[in-house]
Each structure stands twice: as structure tokens, then as C-alpha cells.
Amino acid sequence: MNVMLAAGALRDDGLIQEESAIAQALRDAILERRLGPGSRLPEEQLAEIFASSRGRIRRVLLALAREHIVVIQPSRGAFVASPDAAEARAVLAARRMIEVAVMERPCQPLTEDAIAVLRAVTEEERRAHAAHDSVAMIRWSGRFHLELALALGNAVIAGIVSELSLRTSLIIAIYERQNAMCCLKADHDLLLGTVCEQAWAEAGRLMSRHLLEIEQNLDFSSPAPPASSLSLILKR
């Protein structure tokens, strides 16, 4: 079976290919902590860096603002989002409400194709852990939650989970404790096994515990990383 796991394949942001590539480069720079929270994102400089037009850069920034990882301030421009502790807790609380409910009361049966995709995602996550690649761990963890929502929920639920997962990735990148391991792969393996067995009540319990552990691995008392020079996004 050919399982497609291309990065961003499930994101419908309304951008053309060139714009989507720029948006992904900015997402990566933010999640890799090369662009810290509060970093300014001037259209003119971004257009020069990516050899694009300001109009296309504006569309990219608007798309990222809809994902809540960029904020656009009137008369000031665009900045990397800097969610505070209250917003971070609200995002995680929303995830618990939605994702636990999907586990306990799935909207549709789990198919063999969906199981194959989930197993492929956990294999990519295993490789990321083996390589100690923290950014890839965050990325594939978010992908696991999205694929679960697609497999058991509906398109509306999957869209909400996609947005909340991306916002959680930014929150983890800012607030994760040193040496913490957000979204342990073992948790995903347990969840997948329970879902395959259709043990929905247990799946809900595991999801609730899993999301609570993510929050416990965050340290909201530590200052956010400083804003970075925009030119750092070129160092890929």
C-alpha cells in the first residue's frame, strides 16, 4: 500500500505552490526556534529573502495568521505569535475536549487505509526519536493527532484539530521544559493499539492522560526565547 505522508499534504491554505513553500519555510523556522516569538516579519525583507513579491508574502502572512502562529497588528505589521500561559492552557483544554470526545464517540469506523497511515506516522516518529530530532518529533506528533481526527472524526473536527495541533507545536517550542519529551511515542503506540481494538472508553482515557502530560511538560514560568534576526531563516 502506498501511504502518502508528504509534509503539509493535508493543509488547504488556499495558497499557490510557491506561497505554500514560503509558508512552510516560515513554519519550520518558528518550530525550530530560529525565529523566536515576537520576531517581526516585514513584507519587503521576506520578499527579498524568498525572491517573491510583497503581494504573495502578504497572502502567506495572512494564511499563517489564520493558523494563529503569526499575528498581524494594524500599522505595525506581522510578528511571530507569542502565546501566553493563559492562551496555551486554553488551547490544550480545547484539545482535550475535542480529541477525547472523538476517541470515546468516533464519528466513523476505522478503515484499514487509516490504520496503515497511522502506523506509517508512528514509524516516522520512531525515526525522529532515534535521531534525537526534536523538531521532527513535534511535527510527527502533531501529524499523528491529525490523522486520528481524520480517521475517526469528520472534516470539521479534523480542521479544528489541525489548527490546535499547530498552535500546540508553537507552544511546545516556546515553553517545553529542558530534557522533556512531549508526546512520547509510547503514548501514541498505546493509543493506536487501543483504537484498533475499538476499546473506545480506554482510548478516551489514554488521550486525556496524554494531553495532560503534554501540559505538565511545559514551564510557563520561564521567559520565552528572544526574538531572532529574520535572516536566520536562510540557514536551512
Side-chain angles (χ1 to χ4, degrees), residues 214-230:
I214 292 176
E215 185 168 347
Q216 290 165 1
N217 278 335
L218 303 177
D219 181 5
F220 297 118
S221 65
S222 62
S228 305
S229 167
L230 188 60

Side-chain angles (χ1 to χ4, degrees), residues 125-194:
E125 196 175 4
R126 183 195 66 76
R127 292 193 182 100
H129 278 266
H132 304 288
D133 185 340
S134 60
V135 174
M137 290 180 207
I138 293 174
R139 182 180 295 117
W140 286 110
S141 170
R143 187 62 180 269
F144 178 84
H145 286 263
L146 175 58
E147 293 295 349
L148 261 185
L150 283 167
L152 299 174
N154 57 41
V156 173
I157 290 171
I160 295 170
V161 170
S162 178
E163 177 188 315
L164 292 176
S165 293
L166 187 57
R167 294 175 73 176
T168 302
S169 296
L170 175 60
I171 289 164
I172 290 171
I174 296 172
Y175 293 112
E176 186 178 23
R177 296 179 189 276
Q178 260 193 331
N179 301 319
M181 295 287 286
C182 279
C183 267
L184 291 173
K185 182 184 177 299
D187 287 355
H188 290 170
D189 289 337
L190 283 172
L191 271 167
L192 180 55
T194 306

Side-chain angles (χ1 to χ4, degrees), residues 21-226:
I22 295 170
Q24 191 59 50
L26 287 168
R27 288 188 198 98
D28 289 345
I30 291 167
L31 297 184
E32 291 168 13
R33 311 183 197 193
R34 291 182 282 117
L35 278 175
S39 296
R40 192 163 178 269
L41 301 170
E43 291 178 7
E44 186 174 357
Q45 191 175 357
L46 286 170
E48 181 179 352
I49 288 169
F50 290 109
S52 187
S53 68
R54 291 187 65 175
R56 287 183 175 175
I57 294 298
R58 191 173 300 119
R59 282 169 50 82
V60 167
L61 294 174
L62 286 170
L64 295 177
R66 289 193 293 271
E67 296 171 6
H68 300 279
I69 62 172
V70 164
V71 294
I72 298 176
Q73 301 179 6
S75 303
R76 293 195 63 211
F79 299 82
V80 176
S82 185
D84 60 17
E87 181 180 342
R89 290 192 175 100
V91 167
L92 290 167
R95 287 192 65 175
R96 286 196 298 275
M97 291 179 65
I98 294 168
E99 294 189 63
V100 172
V102 170
M103 294 299 99
E104 293 176 340
R105 295 180 295 278
C107 302
Q108 59 186 350
L110 188 68
T111 66
E112 289 299 321
D113 285 348
I115 292 172
V117 170
L118 285 163
R119 285 178 175 158
V121 171
T122 58
E123 177 59 22
E124 292 293 340
E125 196 175 4
R126 183 195 66 76
R127 292 193 182 100
H129 278 266
H132 304 288
D133 185 340
S134 60
V135 174
M137 290 180 207
I138 293 174
R139 182 180 295 117
W140 286 110
S141 170
R143 187 62 180 269
F144 178 84
H145 286 263
L146 175 58
E147 293 295 349
L148 261 185
L150 283 167
L152 299 174
N154 57 41
V156 173
I157 290 171
I160 295 170
V161 170
S162 178
E163 177 188 315
L164 292 176
S165 293
L166 187 57
R167 294 175 73 176
T168 302
S169 296
L170 175 60
I171 289 164
I172 290 171
I174 296 172
Y175 293 112
E176 186 178 23
R177 296 179 189 276
Q178 260 193 331
N179 301 319
M181 295 287 286
C182 279
C183 267
L184 291 173
K185 182 184 177 299
D187 287 355
H188 290 170
D189 289 337
L190 283 172
L191 271 167
L192 180 55
T194 306
V195 165
C196 290
E197 294 171 1
Q198 300 186 41
W200 304 122
E202 177 64 6
R205 187 189 70 80
L206 287 173
M207 180 63 80
S208 178
R209 186 188 72 181
H210 176 57
L211 294 174
L212 282 170
E213 286 177 350
I214 292 176
E215 185 168 347
Q216 290 165 1
N217 278 335
L218 303 177
D219 181 5
F220 297 118
S221 65
S222 62

